[in-house]
Amino acid sequence: MTVEERALLIDERLCEEYGAPFIPFSYRDPVSELVGSLLSHRTKNAVTRGAFQQLVQELPTWEEVMDAPTARVEQAITAVTFPEVKAPRIQAALQQIKDRCDGVLSLDFLAELPVREARDWLEVIPGIGAKTSAAVLSFSRLRMPALVVDTHHQRVAQRIGLVPARASLEKCALLLQSYVPEDWDGQRVYDSHQGYMRHGQRVCHWRRPDCHRCVIRPWCDYPDKGEPA
């Protein structure tokens, strides 16, 4: 069995276990998703949502966010980690998008590009790596087949031998995206992300994974290391 075949088999098992297809959690435009993703770094989801809502309440358009005093943006997002870093980063990203799009602050045009080209376009922007570029394409209303790989997904993939044990998140994202069949649409790729993420959150924990409850245990290179909760 090739690694691609193994990845597909495990993916299908996880989707079955956790109830795919999954309803998307976001219907934002891609610029809004980019801002939300930048806010979310090392921040809990509930805090990120609150900060995003506070930001758009105080500065209702992204043009206003881009042009506002940085201190005002920082104050609006003060609940997130490192607001002093994220505020100027968000403003710089918005400015770069506008500059590269002939004065139009929109990323809707990315839907016309192949996924790799769209990700490359985004990853030129400082602060945007593999996870964020994929999130903008997959989680926004674009619904493009870009695979988001978070730390839960990474941990599961490493333990079952789909990627090297010491591979960085960026390397894992690149490898796992390469295993995605070309005919998968955005929903199917989103389901893949959700299946791995939920398994990492609920069973394949960083410490004391619940191996006795693992539905992909037959294909795992890390069996019997956990203890019953």
Side-chain angles (χ1 to χ4, degrees):
M1 182 184 296
T2 67
V3 66
E4 291 84 0
E5 291 170 337
R6 189 180 188 205
L8 182 58
L9 179 65
I10 292 169
D11 184 279
E12 291 175 344
R13 186 67 189 88
L14 291 176
C15 283
E16 178 185 354
E17 174 69 11
Y18 295 107
F22 302 102
I23 298 173
F25 70 88
S26 172
Y27 294 89
R28 295 171 177 166
D29 68 274
V31 173
S32 297
E33 191 59 48
L34 181 145
V35 173
S37 294
L38 291 175
L39 287 172
S40 70
H41 182 61
R42 295 188 180 180
T43 302
K44 292 182 178 180
N45 290 339
V47 175
T48 299
R49 287 193 295 270
F52 183 91
Q53 292 168 358
Q54 184 66 31
L55 180 61
V56 297
Q57 180 178 328
E58 294 189 21
L59 299 163
T61 71
W62 297 127
E63 291 274 0
E64 290 177 87
V65 172
M66 182 180 68
D67 295 335
T70 302
R72 186 176 180 191
V73 177
E74 182 180 337
Q75 179 59 38
I77 64 171
T78 191
V80 302
T81 55
F82 312 121
E84 72 283 358
V85 174
K86 293 177 180 178
R89 179 172 291 171
I90 288 169
Q91 290 183 301
L94 294 172
Q95 185 65 61
Q96 187 168 148
I97 292 168
K98 184 175 181 179
D99 291 345
R100 294 169 67 194
C101 295
D102 299 322
V104 178
L105 193 48
S106 171
L107 291 172
D108 289 339
F109 74 93
L110 294 175
E112 302 172 6
L113 301 179
V115 168
R116 185 63 261 170
E117 288 186 25
R119 294 183 69 166
D120 288 342
W121 195 98
L122 289 168
E123 289 173 21
V124 169
I125 300 172
I128 297 183
K131 181 181 176 183
T132 301
S133 71
V136 171
L137 301 180
S138 177
F139 295 165
S140 74
R141 68 189 180 200
L142 297 182
R143 298 284 180 259
M144 293 173 69
L147 183 65
V148 178
V149 178
D150 63 8
T151 54
H152 298 294
H153 194 154
Q154 177 187 24
R155 181 169 64 254
V156 175
Q158 287 175 327
R159 285 178 173 171
I160 60 180
L162 295 182
V163 295
R166 296 185 180 277
S168 66
L169 187 62
E170 299 275 328
K171 180 65 173 178
C172 287
L174 184 65
L175 286 172
L176 293 171
Q177 179 76 54
S178 73
Y179 303 153
V180 172
E182 292 184 4
D183 61 348
W184 279 13
D185 61 11
Q187 178 65 53
R188 184 62 185 84
V189 174
Y190 179 77
D191 291 342
S192 178
H193 159 72
Q194 288 288 321
Y196 275 93
M197 181 187 70
R198 293 175 191 221
H199 193 64
Q201 289 175 331
R202 301 177 187 183
V203 176
C204 195
H205 312 296
W206 177 253
R207 295 181 179 176
R208 300 182 68 198
D210 293 331
C211 298
H212 64 292
R213 298 198 294 117
C214 182
V215 297
I216 58 172
R217 186 174 177 178
W219 303 281
C220 186
D221 293 335
Y222 190 82
D224 302 316
K225 299 294 192 298
E227 302 173 18

